[in-house]
Amino acid sequence: MLLLRGTAGMVAIVKVGPSGQFFLETEDEEIVLGLEPMDLIVASALSVDERTEKGLKCVLFMIREIRSPLIVLPKNHPASPRLPIVVSAGNKTVLSCNITPGTHPNQDVLCGSNEFDSLEVTGTLEGVQIKNMPQCEVLRVNFDI
């Protein structure tokens, strides 16, 4: 797992791996996401501590290894402001601090802290390409529970 640790938030990134079929659940439908092994699952949190890092790892593990679906809340859902971690899956994800957490079915945008606004991560055959990375700590973390 690649972990970007800023002063107000963190971003965790893992490759999708060989099992490329994931489910996206919205209020009205279930969407099947067919992803390639080089695509990414990206999780974002608006806090920075050891507990949040463990939570990021756990959420990514639940989605990639346990096959838990990605959940998209309806606009103005009361739980949205309380989401500690939000997730996106696809080839490219752009973080934005101007969106409501957990309410975007398009998997190319993800809520993030101000310092990660406009961060762009793209899966490549060689690894991960990162654009617009702010000053932050970059860590490689074992992806096990």
Side-chain angles (χ1 to χ4, degrees):
M1 179 174 86
L2 185 64
L3 183 68
L4 309 178
R5 183 183 296 140
T7 57
M10 289 192 279
V11 177
I13 305 162
V14 295
K15 292 275 194 162
V16 165
S19 302
Q21 187 176 42
F22 294 86
F23 293 92
L24 178 71
E25 307 295 337
T26 72
E27 185 176 32
D28 302 317
E29 64 184 329
E30 178 176 75
I31 300 167
V32 178
L33 300 174
L35 302 175
E36 299 295 325
M38 69 180 185
D39 291 340
L40 305 172
I41 305 171
V42 181
S44 173
L46 301 177
S47 57
V48 182
D49 57 26
E50 184 179 338
R51 188 172 176 182
T52 300
E53 183 178 326
K54 288 178 181 179
L56 286 164
K57 186 185 288 189
C58 183
V59 167
L60 291 175
F61 189 88
M62 287 289 297
I63 292 168
R64 190 178 94 169
E65 302 299 325
I66 307 297
R67 316 303 293 163
S68 180
L70 293 118
I71 307 290
V72 178
L73 297 174
K75 297 280 186 208
N76 300 316
H77 193 282
S80 186
R82 291 190 302 278
L83 291 173
I85 296 172
V86 290
V87 180
S88 176
N91 178 257
K92 180 174 95 172
T93 299
V94 177
L95 274 77
S96 173
C97 64
N98 297 317
I99 62 173
T100 305
T103 62
H104 293 273
N106 297 336
Q107 291 296 291
D108 60 350
V109 65
L110 184 63
C111 181
S113 64
N114 288 340
E115 66 197 313
F116 289 113
D117 191 50
S118 300
L119 175 80
E120 182 179 308
V121 294
T122 305
T124 68
L125 289 174
E126 298 80 28
V128 177
Q129 179 183 34
I130 301 175
K131 294 181 181 174
N132 305 321
M133 188 165 68
Q135 184 71 24
C136 66
E137 187 177 8
V138 180
L139 303 164
R140 292 176 84 181
V141 178
N142 285 337
F143 186 61
D144 59 358
I145 300 295

